[in-house]
């Protein structure tokens, strides 16, 4: 009996001596996509599996797809900042004007490589835009693959074809772009596009190929218009992979290191590459349905570029009003894109 008591006491002492870090950490990961979409399958799921493996099972994700955690897509940036969610991937551009410095990569005709833009955006973020994300630890940033035009009833072949079309746009810079091209822009997250086009609220939408199969949007339209690949793509929208700063700060040092080892410049570029690689599935789905895909000429693309040119001056002026060096920021973004394109 004495031996049993001694053993029990020893076990109790060992249990109380175990560090708090041995307890499981569950991170709520809230996002906009259905589970079968590219981002959950190729980015979110693998990332969560990696941090679980590298923490020996002590840290795991609770996945909340398709806004199942509540709220709306534009609220995700505040939900993660305020600690309602621990992790999210979202588009800052869903909250118009809230992240003006990072909007530089959403200006028209900036890039035609998500991987290149991801590398540039990460460097730019560290220099100029971190103050736009208080209470938030940004783990990665990138843009999606090239954005194009998709319409339900008629093909956009020339600049003049935009007249009379109500077109969905994801960000305020894309809204400005569509207005300059002659369309009537209608801002909304991708989650609202299918309903809007089925009801006739919009005639088409600006989107990259990657996301179209996830929301079955190739079934909602008949025509797709691409700009010439010899020029930068029509538009891009930026993403951030964000964590609540207080949640990160609460982690023990070794689990912080797991997060740190799976974030930053390398992760940003890796995700950008995945977005680039994922375009083919969208095109294939549209072709299989019998939709028409048109790539306009270099000359016509240049007409669109010329029509959108004032947007750059407007963005620079907006930055200057906010006390930020607009021309310097624009040139820095362009220089970084050239650097990583080489």
């Amino acid at each position: 009996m004495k031996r049993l008591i001694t053993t029990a006491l020893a076990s109790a002492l060992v249990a109380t001596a175990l560090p708090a870090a041995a307890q499981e950490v569950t991170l709520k990961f809230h996002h906009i996509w259905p589970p079968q979409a590219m981002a959950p399958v190729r980015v979110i799921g693998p990332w969560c599996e990696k941090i679980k493996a590298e923490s020996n099972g002590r840290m795991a994700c609770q996945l909340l797809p398709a806004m199942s955690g509540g709220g709306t897509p534009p609220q995700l940036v505040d939900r993660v900042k305020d600690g309602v969610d621990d992790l999210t991937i979202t588009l800052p551009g869903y909250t118009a004007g809230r992240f003006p410095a990072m909007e530089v990569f959403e200006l028209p005709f900036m890039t035609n490589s998500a991987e290149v833009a991801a590398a540039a955006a990460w460097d730019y973020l560290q220099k100029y835009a971190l103050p736009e994300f208080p209470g938030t630890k940004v783990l990665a940033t990138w843009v999606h693959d090239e954005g194009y035009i998709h319409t339900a009833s008629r093909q956009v072949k020339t600049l003049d074809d935009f007249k009379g079309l109500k077109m969905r746009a994801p960000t305020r810079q894309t809204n400005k772009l569509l207005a300059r091209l002659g369309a009537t822009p209608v801002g909304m997250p991708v989650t609202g596009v299918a309903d809007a086009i089925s009801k006739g609220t919009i005639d088409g939408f600006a989107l990259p190929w990657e996301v179209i199969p996830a929301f079955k949007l190739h079934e909602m339209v008949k025509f797709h218009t691409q700009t010439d690949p010899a020029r930068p793509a029509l538009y891009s929208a930026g993403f951030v992979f964000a964590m609540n700063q207080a949640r990160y700060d609460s982690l023990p040092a070794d689990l912080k290191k797991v997060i740190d080892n799976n974030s930053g410049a390398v992760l940003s570029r890796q995700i950008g590459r995945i977005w680039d690689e994922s375009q083919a599935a969208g095109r294939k789905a549209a072709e299989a349905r019998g939709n028409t895909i048109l790539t306009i000429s270099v000359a016509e693309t240049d007409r669109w570029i010329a029509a959108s040119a004032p947007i750059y001056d407007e963005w620079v002026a907006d930055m200057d009003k906010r006390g930020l060096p607009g021309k310097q920021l624009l040139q820095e973004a362009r220089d970084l894109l050239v650097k990583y394109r080489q």
Side-chain angles (χ1 to χ4, degrees), residues 249-262:
D249 292 341
S250 73
L251 297 175
D254 59 336
L255 293 188
K256 285 180 182 175
K257 189 172 187 301
V258 172
I259 298 292
D260 293 343
N261 289 345
N262 291 281

Side-chain angles (χ1 to χ4, degrees), residues 1 13 57 72 126 154 163 183 188 190 195 198 216 218 234 253 257 276 308-309:
M1 178 64 71
L13 288 171
T72 64
Q126 307 312 305
R154 60 184 169 97
K163 294 177 182 177
M188 69 178 68
V190 67
D195 183 63
S198 67
K216 299 182 178 180
H218 58 290
L234 178 67
K257 189 172 187 301
D276 281 334
S308 65

Side-chain angles (χ1 to χ4, degrees), residues 25 33 45 115 151 268:
V25 173
W33 293 280
E115 181 181 359
T151 46
S268 297

